[in-house]
Amino acid sequence: MFTLPDLDYGYDALGKYISKDIMELHHGKHHQTYVDKLNTALQQATDLQNKPVTELISNLEAVPEPIRTAVRNHGGGHYNHTLFWKFMSPDGGGEPSGALAEALQKKYGSFQEFMDAFSEKALGIFGSGWAWLQPDLSIVTTANQDSPVMNGGAAPLLGLDVWEHAYYLDYTYKRGDYVNAWWHVVNWQEVAERFQLA
Ligand code: MN
């Protein structure tokens, strides 16, 4: 059985940028629902229940067809959100340092230009989806709860949820304001560690 992971910080910890109300709903309700529906789907495939979610969604062909879409959507949702909570911190924001900073500067010209490119991708997503920074420092997007690992891709270094449930309570339709605020809580320490491991 999959379970909802605890946050490393309180629901109110990102308050100036992402409100307690959003965090309560996003983590406590939306993410919980992905977990619950993934567990429900896997009741039809008990041999898959003990596999890591990464393995399930990176090899969807191995999932029985009747539950494949459910595992794709809810397994993807569980995986993506588990990462997303780690990608934010009340001590976040600012700029990365060290090897990650140098690599981003080399690829994008400056940290600001990287942020601009990432924000542009996030704003360009039609409907619900995610923007991701990959280990090769490319920026990719996925629709719905699809994830870069689904097509044999590498695990992302960073990801931004641009579903309306992630921002509408605070920012209504102004996705750009949400993206601008989100940079203030990005956990660059986590991103740098993932870059080193990759
Ligand atoms: Mn979400």
Side-chain angles (χ1 to χ4, degrees):
M1 293 285 279
F2 290 96
T3 56
L4 183 69
D6 289 334
L7 296 179
D8 296 330
Y9 42 84
Y11 281 143
D12 60 354
L14 309 176
K16 187 178 168 189
Y17 302 108
I18 298 174
S19 69
K20 179 170 179 272
D21 288 348
I22 282 192
M23 290 301 295
E24 276 181 351
L25 290 173
H26 200 178
H27 177 263
K29 303 298 181 193
H30 289 280
H31 191 171
Q32 182 70 61
T33 300
Y34 296 124
V35 169
D36 292 344
K37 290 191 172 177
L38 176 61
N39 285 329
T40 299
L42 291 178
Q43 285 172 4
Q44 292 177 50
T46 51
D47 56 316
L48 299 180
Q49 284 174 337
N50 293 320
K51 291 189 184 296
V53 69
T54 317
E55 189 176 327
L56 292 178
I57 64 171
S58 63
N59 188 16
L60 285 166
E61 291 299 310
V63 175
E65 196 278 331
I67 61 167
R68 194 174 296 152
T69 298
V71 171
R72 178 178 182 167
N73 290 339
H74 304 298
H78 177 40
Y79 174 82
N80 290 343
H81 287 82
T82 299
L83 292 178
F84 187 55
W85 313 129
K86 296 278 184 191
F87 293 150
M88 301 188 291
S89 165
D91 304 318
E95 297 186 16
S97 57
L100 175 62
E102 287 172 27
L104 284 173
Q105 189 170 14
K106 189 174 174 195
K107 187 168 178 80
Y108 290 95
S110 68
F111 181 67
Q112 184 64 50
E113 283 169 287
F114 156 70
M115 284 203 303
D116 291 346
F118 190 97
S119 295
E120 191 180 321
K121 285 271 191 180
L123 291 173
I125 295 168
F126 180 75
S128 299
W130 293 74
W132 307 98
L133 176 66
Q134 290 299 98
D136 65 359
L137 303 184
S138 63
I139 301 163
V140 302
T141 63
T142 57
N144 303 313
Q145 293 299 349
D146 284 356
S147 188
V149 298
M150 279 182 183
N151 296 312
L157 304 182
L158 177 66
L160 172 58
D161 184 348
V162 297
W163 281 56
E164 284 187 346
H165 70 219
Y167 62 89
Y168 211 85
L169 272 182
D170 288 353
Y171 299 100
T172 66
Y173 62 91
K174 297 169 196 151
R175 185 188 284 182
D177 289 356
Y178 160 66
V179 173
N180 288 337
W182 177 77
W183 288 115
H184 291 277
V185 295
V186 171
N187 184 355
W188 288 112
Q189 193 178 330
E190 173 76 17
V191 181
E193 283 169 19
R194 295 176 71 86
F195 182 62
Q196 291 296 341
L197 287 172

